[in-house]
Amino acid sequence: MSTVIAFILTFLLKDTVRQADEMAHSMSDQVIEAFRFFKGEPALVYVLFLGIAVGLAAGFVEEFWQLYLVDAGIGLSIFGLFYGVILVVQIPGALAAHALRKRFRRKSLLTVVILTGASALIFSAFQVNWLGAAAIIFFLLAAGMTEPLILGALHEKADNRIRATLESFQSLVFNAVLIVAGTGFGYIATQFTLATGFLFLAIFSVVPLAMRAFGKFNHE
């Protein structure tokens, strides 16, 4: 019924009249403009890659936690409750991010959240049991804090004119990295164990942090 209602409402939509300076540019112009913007904002690019890495890791965990519980010997009757907890913990995660952002710098907060979440995921890879399942929930709680921090950084830097283009560009990069991460995770999880695949995701989520630290070390 909701789909039918949404379909009917689309017939009520009307296009707005654009001003001359708001006319759409060509695709190539938009891509060039996005490249120029990100080139001038290296700190924002770093933050966005943090979000992409953690977001991909969280996406795969949310997709395969059922198989993890099976490997952990947890009964099927618990699955519904576990999924409910996963959905619920991401709410306080987002709210906590907003509150903590007022007290700490975004980069510092992201670093702590990501390292904490990755540690929890690593723990789940070595403890495939109830404790490991709890660690997965903790990781998703941390991942839930990263999304509002990342989107907040993008919205603060970009004005209304270019924001949609930049978000589309971020989505393009996200899906490109998804191919690499998905291939690595799929191969490791099938050749070894799902827990080993989660270990790969934990390492993958901290790659931007490691690359930045390595770059600073070489620069010094």
Side-chain angles (χ1 to χ4, degrees), residues 1-203:
M1 288 301 298
S2 60
T3 305
V4 173
I5 293 173
F7 176 73
I8 294 174
L9 290 177
T10 58
F11 290 99
L12 303 178
L13 297 176
K14 295 181 179 180
D15 197 6
T16 57
V17 179
R18 297 180 179 178
Q19 301 296 328
D21 58 346
E22 294 181 348
M23 295 302 292
H25 300 285
S26 66
M27 179 65 70
S28 59
D29 290 339
Q30 295 182 52
V31 172
I32 293 173
E33 189 174 12
F35 266 114
R36 288 176 178 173
F37 176 85
F38 284 125
K39 185 178 180 180
E41 298 286 349
L44 178 60
V45 173
Y46 167 68
V47 170
L48 291 179
F49 269 106
L50 283 177
I52 289 173
V54 176
L56 285 173
F60 284 115
V61 172
E62 288 179 339
E63 191 71 25
F64 292 97
W65 61 264
Q66 300 96 330
L67 297 180
Y68 180 90
L69 295 190
V70 171
D71 292 343
I74 298 175
L76 185 63
S77 59
I78 304 298
F79 280 32
L81 176 62
F82 190 87
Y83 183 57
V85 173
I86 288 177
L87 294 177
V88 170
V89 297
Q90 297 183 54
I91 298 175
L95 296 176
H98 177 72
L100 293 174
R101 175 68 182 91
K102 297 178 180 179
R103 303 183 59 182
F104 304 99
R105 294 178 56 196
R106 178 179 282 108
K107 289 182 182 178
S108 301
L109 184 57
L110 277 171
T111 300
V112 172
V113 170
I114 291 173
L115 289 177
T116 303
S119 299
L121 197 56
I122 291 173
F123 179 85
S124 71
F126 289 98
Q127 294 289 327
V128 186
N129 48 36
W130 278 101
L131 292 176
I136 287 178
I137 294 176
F138 189 82
F139 166 74
L140 293 177
L141 170 65
M145 296 179 63
T146 61
E147 184 175 358
L149 293 173
I150 302 299
L151 293 179
L154 181 60
H155 290 176
E156 288 176 7
K157 295 291 184 179
D159 55 32
N160 294 332
R161 180 180 57 84
I162 195 176
R163 185 174 297 146
T165 300
L166 297 179
E167 289 181 351
S168 298
F169 199 80
Q170 179 199 11
S171 177
L172 175 65
V173 176
F174 180 90
N175 285 282
V177 180
L178 173 63
I179 297 174
V180 178
T183 302
F185 172 74
Y187 177 81
I188 292 174
T190 53
Q191 292 297 317
F192 301 96
T193 63
L194 181 64
T196 309
F198 279 12
L199 178 62
F200 166 80
L201 293 176
I203 297 173

